[in-house]
Amino acid sequence: MGRVVLVTGVAREFASRFARALIAEPDVDRVVGVDVQPPRGDMSGVQFVRADIRNPVIAKVIAKEQVDTVVHMSVVATSAGAGGRGSVKELNVIGTMQLLAACQRAPSVEHLVVKSSTTVYGASSRDPAMFTEEMAPKKLPRSGFAKDAYEVEGYVRGFARRREDVTVTMLRAANTIGPRVDSPMAQYFRLPMIPTVLGFDARMQFLHETDMLAVLRHATLARVHGTFNVAGEGVLMLSQAVRRLGRPALPMPGFTLGTVGSLMRQAGLPGLAAEQLDFLTFGRGVDTRRSREVLGFSPAYSTAAAFEDFCRSQTRGLVAPSRIVVDGLTATAGRGASPAPIATPSGDSRG
Amino acid sequence: MADAEVIPLGTRGKPGRGTGSAKPSSAARRLAPGAGPATPKKRAKPKPKPVPEAPAEVEAPVTETLLEEPLTAPPSTAQAGPDAVQGAEVPRSAARTRPPGIPVGDWLGAFTHASREVFGEAWEPRLAEMLAFFRRRVTGEYAVDEFGFDREVTERFLLAALRPIADKWFRIEVRGAENIPTDGGALVVSNHSGTVPLDGLMTGVAIHDHTGRFLRPLGADLVFKMPVVSELARMGGATLACGEDAERMLSGGELVGVWPEGFKGIGKPYSERYKLQRFGRGGFVSAAMRTGVPIVPCSVVGAEEIYPLVGNVPSLARLLGVPYIPVTPLFPWLGPLGLVPLPSKWLIEFGEPIRTDSYDEGAADDPMLVFNVTDQVRETIQQTLYSLLMQRRSVFG
């Protein structure tokens, strides 16, 4: 008998893609999708149950469907379209509590996969260069998605203590990026001019959207207990990312960026969330050795390649890689000019 | 005096050969106005411009002559004013027939010449390389390591900017550079002084110039909190002084620099110069022990005198969240001029490496052993400082 997988938050495009990919696996018998809204488009075999994970109905769903694997994907950062920050927090934190309470009472549940984020490490000037899974944030997040994620992880750890027979896999994913991603960071990089913090250059890591799906699939099928950082190899500086995108950067003093963010929100643009401000200032790096060695997963895209793929989906900006100007210069000035030795692994380096 | 004979010197203003003879030389005669027919011929020779026909040259005094205008000028104006002044203008108007400004050929020539001046004989590949570098910077297609270290910019700009200060201003003399391992991880431990951590930068330049390796400094968290400084620090290869980062860098085979005195060292008053402060909590020793890399003691003499710290403004420092606001004999009294460091003579000596790989597994967790090694390193640096001070002739010598 195959496995029965419950996926939360399937109304979101990403979770629904994951659910549809999972149903094709030979090991998986059934996939049950849960959300408050019905998902758009064809769910091709995924059983959808309209249920709110914020109330105890979810326990009945788990019991009735004899679910053995729960993939919790509804901890989200975006507040757009979900009724503002308050209701997102409610969904993230209370939803997780209810879901975990239901799982604790359900004897059929054997495996829990939680999609968390590297945001839990926060970002500050006292951070080590690379966070390993044991490290705690130097500054506890006080608001926003970072706090949600931090609290959610706390509840998951509590659940893991109480149900020792359940394999709990927590995936701390770096900022997901790709042509179809709609995360706050992707929205930030889609701005026509990119506000940055004057005098700071953040280190960033990205995870390509296909790698995100792959690692969730891998974790669901592999059943490895533990917490794992997942990120593309290598580090990209924010200034570098902006240049690769070819958009003009708009450096401004750190203390004004919050105001700018709220002005942007009022103007109908995606704003800058609290955890984003710190991230854009100090950046963050995570050590992915454990996910490569223990979980057995290496992302196909490096950070640079993932970002390159995102850039390709964007109309490149006016500033740099119109590239004709610079290339022309190189060509006229030095006939012996070798093409610039670019150390960027391209997207086809996967596999 | 009155009856002294006057011996004439020169010609007394008369044209002549200086011999006193009344007749001027032929060369002098030619210079005189209204004489000599040879002049116009000689002036015409060095300007072999194709002189157009005279009628085309003469222009109506009102119109500004453009390029084609003399050719299209009506013949009636040609007869208009053939007076002497306009006739003298012939060569100048002839020049106007070519495009104004410097010709393209001259530009190219000047460019080639300038490139050769700047880049030397093999200027073409060098220029191409520079443009490729420029292109990489503009398009962001360069690589940084996981700490944010930008090797290219560090080598081309940061070190290049600091090198004249090290060589010309502080005249740094390096001793014992052979004690720095040429490869593999090593921990350079140095004394810290000088109000502004210039000694760290200078040690980095000295090490790079003598061994070709990059020193990866460990900095206080204040460094990463300050705008601009934070950006430059990460770019130049620094990271936060914490056990995790130190071990990560050392096990990655980097040459890591640490200044365990921290702010107590650079912010100490001038009266306590060359007296080592407490060496932190010995965290650097346990990091070295865990990774089994050698510790290279480094003593810097001269940095104490660059900004002699004679006072502090603790209340302002607290307000700004910095460890101290320095008062030196020149700062803040001379304003920005007070920020120029005094040109003391520097000596940097690298001591014999202290091996840590012979200790057994749990050595890093044995506080007594860690303290002992810390003291050993500290003592070595202190003794070297004393001996360097004895050898130094004078502060600015």
Side-chain angles (χ1 to χ4, degrees):
Chain A
M1 174 184 155
R3 299 170 50 181
V4 180
V5 184
L6 179 103
V7 181
T8 64
V10 285
R12 290 166 50 83
E13 202 246 339
F14 194 68
S16 106
R17 261 166 84 189
F18 169 68
R20 277 175 284 155
L22 208 58
I23 197 85
E25 291 296 328
D27 270 5
V28 176
D29 260 5
R30 279 186 300 135
V31 177
V32 182
V34 184
D35 209 328
V36 280
Q37 297 158 328
R40 271 171 294 177
D42 177 30
M43 287 302 284
S44 60
V46 176
Q47 203 177 327
F48 175 71
V49 179
R50 187 166 184 164
D52 192 345
I53 58 168
R54 281 168 293 181
N55 66 46
V57 175
I58 191 73
K60 288 181 187 155
V61 177
I62 291 174
K64 177 170 167 288
E65 303 287 346
Q66 286 292 301
V67 171
D68 53 28
T69 304
V70 176
V71 183
H72 184 33
M73 293 181 67
S74 67
V75 180
V76 294
T78 36
S79 49
R85 178 69 209 130
S87 86
V88 170
K89 184 180 174 60
E90 177 103 355
L91 190 68
N92 285 347
V93 179
I94 308 298
T96 304
M97 283 180 81
Q98 286 285 357
L99 181 72
L100 292 177
C103 290
Q104 194 175 331
R105 295 287 291 275
S108 64
V109 173
E110 292 162 9
H111 185 198
L112 172 70
V113 179
V114 180
K115 173 179 167 278
S116 181
S117 158
T118 53
T119 314
V120 295
Y121 295 118
S124 82
S125 58
R126 289 184 295 140
D127 284 351
M130 297 306 242
F131 278 101
T132 56
E133 285 83 351
E134 295 81 21
M135 292 181 194
K138 295 285 169 190
K139 204 172 85 181
L140 284 185
R142 279 189 305 248
S143 63
F145 172 62
K147 192 181 182 200
D148 290 1
Y150 187 74
E151 287 179 352
V152 164
E153 286 210 351
Y155 293 128
V156 173
R157 273 192 293 274
F159 170 79
R161 262 198 312 278
R162 290 188 293 271
R163 279 285 303 269
E164 282 180 347
D165 57 316
V166 175
T167 313
V168 178
T169 314
M170 192 136 63
L171 300 173
R172 288 179 183 156
N175 293 95
T176 317
I177 207 151
R180 294 164 75 182
V181 176
D182 195 30
S183 68
M185 275 317 279
Q187 286 172 354
Y188 169 77
F189 282 118
R190 286 194 180 106
L191 291 172
M193 284 175 97
I194 297 177
T196 58
V197 187
L198 187 70
F200 288 92
D201 203 1
R203 289 169 307 124
M204 299 186 163
Q205 285 174 319
F206 298 113
L207 184 65
H208 195 263
E209 52 184 63
T210 54
D211 280 328
M212 184 74 232
L213 287 176
V215 72
L216 280 166
R217 189 190 136 269
H218 180 87
T220 309
L221 301 177
R223 292 206 185 190
V224 184
H225 186 86
T227 305
F228 304 99
N229 292 332
V230 189
E233 208 166 313
V235 162
L236 214 55
M237 306 303 283
L238 175 59
S239 61
Q240 223 179 341
V242 171
R243 286 178 207 180
R244 288 187 185 195
L245 207 52
R247 302 254 169 84
L250 209 64
M252 47 183 81
F255 57 89
T256 60
L257 210 62
T259 323
V260 170
S262 53
L263 282 178
M264 278 161 57
R265 204 171 299 120
Q266 279 167 22
L269 291 163
L272 296 172
E275 74 271 3
Q276 251 179 311
L277 296 182
D278 281 345
F279 179 57
L280 293 177
T281 312
F282 302 111
R284 184 192 310 125
V286 295
D287 185 78
T288 57
R289 207 173 72 186
R290 197 196 278 182
S291 74
R292 274 181 279 126
E293 288 172 4
V294 181
L295 185 65
F297 177 83
S298 318
Y301 285 82
S302 69
T303 290
F307 195 75
E308 185 57 33
D309 193 45
F310 172 76
C311 288
R312 269 198 291 273
S313 73
Q314 298 291 302
T315 48
R316 299 246 178 165
L318 295 169
V319 178
S322 46
R323 296 194 172 177
I324 302 143
V325 184
V326 187
D327 278 339
L329 263 180
T330 319
T332 47
R335 288 180 294 278
S338 54
I342 297 163
T344 328
S346 57
D348 50 48
S349 66
R350 55 193 164 133
Chain B
M1 284 295 273
D3 54 347
E5 194 189 347
V6 178
I7 302 164
L9 282 176
T11 63
R12 301 219 183 134
K14 281 180 281 180
R17 288 186 174 140
T19 56
S21 91
K23 198 166 165 118
S25 73
S26 66
R29 278 199 306 275
R30 200 170 289 168
L31 288 172
T39 330
K41 230 185 259 172
K42 275 210 172 157
R43 264 215 283 166
K45 258 195 185 153
K47 288 188 183 172
K49 282 164 199 153
V51 182
E53 300 122 84
E57 291 315 307
V58 187
E59 44 183 84
V62 218
T63 45
E64 258 303 316
T65 315
L66 287 177
L67 280 183
E68 295 84 0
E69 207 150 327
L71 299 173
T72 55
S76 62
T77 51
Q79 301 291 335
D83 63 288
V85 184
Q86 284 203 333
E89 291 250 311
V90 168
R92 198 169 63 83
S93 333
R96 287 206 190 169
T97 55
R98 18 182 70 208
I102 303 163
V104 182
D106 287 8
W107 274 119
L108 274 178
F111 175 72
T112 318
H113 183 73
S115 310
R116 193 165 287 133
E117 283 287 304
V118 176
F119 297 111
E121 270 315 302
W123 64 276
E124 260 187 276
R126 299 269 309 268
L127 180 66
E129 186 197 328
M130 210 191 80
L131 284 175
F133 166 75
F134 176 65
R135 178 190 190 281
R136 276 200 299 282
R137 302 313 299 186
V138 168
T139 55
E141 274 159 357
Y142 48 90
V144 297
D145 79 352
E146 57 186 12
F147 301 95
F149 172 47
D150 194 329
R151 192 188 184 95
E152 207 172 38
V153 162
T154 305
E155 200 158 27
R156 280 180 186 247
F157 290 108
L158 300 185
L159 288 176
L162 292 171
R163 193 162 293 125
I165 304 178
D167 293 346
K168 302 275 159 36
W169 192 257
F170 296 131
R171 294 144 292 151
I172 296 182
E173 198 180 310
V174 179
R175 298 174 184 185
E178 67 280 357
N179 286 324
I180 303 166
T182 46
D183 57 345
L187 187 65
V188 176
V189 182
S190 174
N191 61 320
H192 211 10
S193 55
T195 310
V196 174
L198 274 184
D199 52 351
L201 304 177
M202 293 302 139
T203 310
V205 174
I207 287 179
H208 184 259
D209 289 356
H210 281 83
T211 64
R213 297 190 73 179
F214 290 96
L215 182 72
R216 308 293 302 268
L218 300 181
D221 66 324
L222 182 71
V223 169
F224 300 98
K225 207 184 273 177
M226 288 195 284
V228 185
V229 177
S230 134
E231 195 176 351
L232 288 175
R234 283 263 176 230
M235 197 183 268
T239 194
L240 185 76
C242 63
E244 296 90 353
D245 281 15
E247 281 166 39
R248 181 173 288 274
M249 270 191 178
L250 288 172
S251 50
E254 300 283 354
L255 185 65
V256 180
V258 68
W259 291 264
E261 292 174 272
F263 288 114
K264 292 190 301 298
I266 54 171
K268 65 179 179 291
Y270 186 61
S271 56
E272 287 176 36
R273 59 192 179 279
Y274 300 116
K275 280 184 201 146
L276 286 188
Q277 305 294 302
R278 180 164 62 82
F279 258 27
R281 278 164 271 183
F284 69 95
V285 170
S286 33
M289 281 179 169
R290 284 211 177 86
T291 47
V293 301
I295 296 174
V296 183
C298 166
S299 318
V300 180
V301 162
E304 295 274 16
E305 287 90 4
I306 56 169
Y307 299 108
L309 189 116
V310 292
N312 186 9
V313 194
S315 46
L316 186 62
R318 254 199 310 280
L319 195 70
L320 295 177
V322 292
Y324 53 87
I325 297 283
V327 177
T328 74
L330 302 181
F331 183 83
W333 322 118
L334 294 186
L337 205 63
L339 293 174
V340 177
L342 298 181
S344 53
K345 164 85 181 167
W346 286 34
L347 298 169
I348 299 183
E349 179 163 334
F350 297 97
E352 290 222 358
I354 299 164
R355 285 182 60 180
T356 61
D357 51 357
S358 53
Y359 298 105
D360 43 300
E361 230 12 58
D365 300 319
D366 179 357
M368 191 50 85
L369 184 61
V370 170
F371 281 137
N372 283 344
V373 178
T374 311
D375 279 349
Q376 185 194 343
V377 176
R378 188 172 176 276
E379 241 355 85
T380 311
I381 296 175
Q382 183 71 74
Q383 292 308 323
T384 317
L385 281 179
Y386 286 146
S387 77
L388 285 175
L389 283 170
M390 299 273 284
Q391 293 165 36
R392 185 171 73 160
R393 273 169 307 174
S394 80
V395 173
F396 302 108

